[in-house]
Amino acid sequence: MKIVVTGMGVLCSVAPDVPSFTEALREGRCGIVPMPDPGDGGPRLAAPVRDFCFSEAASAFEAGRLALRAAHRSPEPLQMDLVTAMQAFEDAGLHRSAPPADRLGLVVSGHNLSSGYVHDLHPKYEDNPAHLPARFALHFMDTDRVGTVSQVLGIKGEGYTVGGASASGNVGLVNGSRLVESGSVDACLVVGAMTDLSPMEKRGLATIGAVAGADTEDPEQAGCRPFDEHHEGFVAGQGAACVVLESEESARSRGARVLAELAGYDLKLSGTSMPEPDEDGEATVMANAMAMAGIGPDDVDYVNAHATATPRGDEIEVLALRRALGEAFGKPWVNSTKGLVGHCMCAAGVVEAVATIIQMRHDFVHPNLNLNRPINHDCRFVPDTAQPARIGHALSNSFGFGGFNTSVVLRRADG
């Protein structure tokens, strides 16, 4: 069974929707900015979403009135997820023609999503526990994202959350694809959920040396530098995204536009609780995803790398690419969307799938910013300006702390 993408939505530091994201990627627009010193040694760089207004954003959609009733008092990250879901829902034409409600599925990619919300409410709780919002018991749970999106869009098929640290987005794409493949649903929304980090979590990531812009006098000079010799860690980015996965038969019966095919995927564990990247695991999932798609390394035209700008992570991913691609290493373009929008954490895989499909449909690859001294000279890294490229097949990688290795293959839609 062919699984196709029929709708997309995105909201991140450089764009409020897919058309704007397309231009931002082509221009190499960067959403990473210096942040006030938190005073705890935490990161001083971030890629925040700015000027978000839920009421204004929601009112653009057919389900906007219901969205405002259901989520006007919800935490902002949930509102962002809902906006991207409505974007993808309408982009797929599901507001006009859709399978029955119990044949629509929903997978929310992410876990530990609301720590920032809980942290911000703690002073109110300390002052008087009775002052907690009445819906706090719902809002702090990840499943609130599932419940709210399903309520607004009338989704009554299978639904749940999935988590795999920074690989959560791809884990969601894998699970959404399997729901459609199994016949459990005809179409499935996969939402890459906005991760609301607390100051404690940001400091914890800084403590293990994973983030850029911490404990430095000039955070702007640190930057986010995937694949550069001066890389020192990732920059957290705010972002949410959604894709609609659908059986080709369902899409054809609705007359839906096909944006791309999700042709292959793989997900494997490394058998560890540590953050250390695993060359064997990464190479294996790329090879298996290509095999599932029925393609070889020579067929891959582009790789959207996980590439968080951590030295060990970038270096291992290049070694894994060399192993997975063999003699074709150096043929496909390679870039990292995280250099533009930061690391969108649990949403990263879905944000980057949207970025990959955009580049595939518009025949370009976006720049790698801050890539002055590449860690490898055989890999075909995109330079600091966008390049024309016809992409027939693309790999999109996501790896997560705790040994989560994932890769998906996206295939260009005919016509």
Side-chain angles (χ1 to χ4, degrees):
M1 177 188 290
K2 282 188 179 181
I3 307 300
V4 296
V5 178
T6 54
M8 302 191 298
V10 70
L11 172 63
C12 63
S13 59
V14 298
D17 52 38
V18 172
S20 300
F21 195 33
T22 302
E23 292 309 308
L25 292 173
R26 195 189 298 276
E27 294 170 9
R29 198 180 309 150
C30 183
I32 297 170
V33 294
M35 302 297 287
D37 188 346
D40 63 357
R44 294 167 59 191
L45 288 172
V49 171
R50 287 161 286 193
D51 303 321
F52 174 73
C53 175
F54 178 58
S55 60
E56 182 179 323
S59 64
F61 302 100
E62 196 166 290
R65 189 170 298 177
L66 179 55
L68 289 171
R69 287 202 302 270
H72 72 286
R73 292 184 179 176
S74 295
E76 190 172 75
L78 183 151
Q79 295 175 342
M80 293 180 180
D81 294 347
L82 182 54
V83 166
T84 65
M86 289 191 292
Q87 288 178 16
F89 195 83
E90 292 201 2
D91 189 43
L94 291 171
H95 60 310
R96 293 189 301 269
S97 68
D102 64 354
R103 300 294 300 167
L104 282 174
L106 174 62
V107 176
V108 172
S109 304
H111 56 92
N112 304 90
L113 296 170
S114 302
S115 298
Y117 168 70
V118 174
H119 173 272
D120 291 344
L121 283 176
H122 196 261
K124 183 176 288 190
Y125 170 79
E126 285 288 320
D127 179 61
N128 187 336
H131 289 166
L132 281 176
R135 291 178 65 87
F136 173 77
L138 301 177
H139 289 331
F140 82 81
M141 294 191 288
D142 295 338
T143 47
D144 193 34
R145 317 280 181 115
V146 177
T148 304
V149 173
S150 65
Q151 176 184 348
V152 172
L153 297 179
I155 297 171
K156 295 186 177 180
E158 289 196 29
Y160 44 75
T161 64
V162 295
S166 296
S168 293
N170 270 9
V171 174
L173 293 172
V174 170
N175 277 267
S177 183
R178 287 173 175 167
L179 280 178
V180 179
E181 288 166 351
S182 70
S184 298
V185 297
D186 296 323
C188 183
L189 276 73
V190 180
V191 178
M194 224 286 274
T195 310
D196 188 16
L197 292 174
S198 69
M200 185 182 295
E201 288 167 316
K202 294 173 186 176
R203 174 61 235 192
L205 291 166
T207 297
I208 63 170
V211 297
D215 298 317
T216 178
E217 291 299 319
D218 190 352
E220 289 187 79
Q221 290 302 309
C224 183
R225 302 176 180 275
F227 297 124
D228 190 82
E229 289 182 2
H230 292 158
H231 49 188
E232 63 169 89
F234 74 81
V235 174
Q238 289 185 323
C242 180
V243 299
V244 176
L245 301 180
E246 190 166 2
S247 70
E248 184 182 41
E249 180 182 357
S250 174
R252 188 185 300 116
S253 70
R254 296 193 306 110
R257 175 189 55 167
V258 173
L259 303 176
E261 179 187 348
L262 202 168
Y265 56 76
D266 196 32
L267 190 166
K268 291 287 187 292
L269 296 174
S270 294
T272 181
S273 63
M274 301 303 288
E276 186 72 11
D278 173 17
E279 181 185 339
D280 289 342
E282 294 180 13
T284 295
V285 294
M286 285 187 267
N288 288 348
M290 287 187 286
M292 180 179 179
I295 64 171
D298 283 331
D299 298 309
V300 177
D301 302 303
Y302 165 61
V303 179
N304 189 296
H306 179 64
T308 62
T310 56
R312 185 68 174 156
D314 288 3
E315 291 158 8
I316 290 296
E317 187 168 10
V318 170
L319 292 174
L321 276 168
R322 184 183 288 278
R323 283 179 54 176
L325 297 175
E327 293 183 0
F329 181 75
K331 172 186 175 288
W333 286 109
V334 179
N335 64 16
S336 172
T337 305
K338 294 180 181 72
L340 304 178
V341 302
H343 188 342
C344 294
M345 310 304 289
C346 289
V350 185
V351 171
E352 290 159 18
V354 171
T356 299
I357 294 169
I358 285 172
Q359 292 170 91
M360 185 176 283
R361 289 181 59 78
H362 293 275
D363 295 322
F364 75 96
V365 285
H366 72 66
N368 276 310
L369 299 187
N370 302 317
L371 184 55
N372 302 315
R373 295 186 178 183
I375 60 173
N376 184 285
H377 293 283
D378 297 324
C379 196
R380 194 185 185 192
F381 296 122
V382 183
D384 60 1
T385 56
Q387 301 296 307
R390 181 169 175 82
I391 302 168
H393 294 90
L395 284 170
S396 184
N397 294 334
S398 285
F399 312 120
F401 288 176
F404 292 90
N405 304 296
T406 70
S407 186
V408 300
V409 174
L410 292 161
R411 177 178 287 136
R412 188 184 187 96
D414 294 336

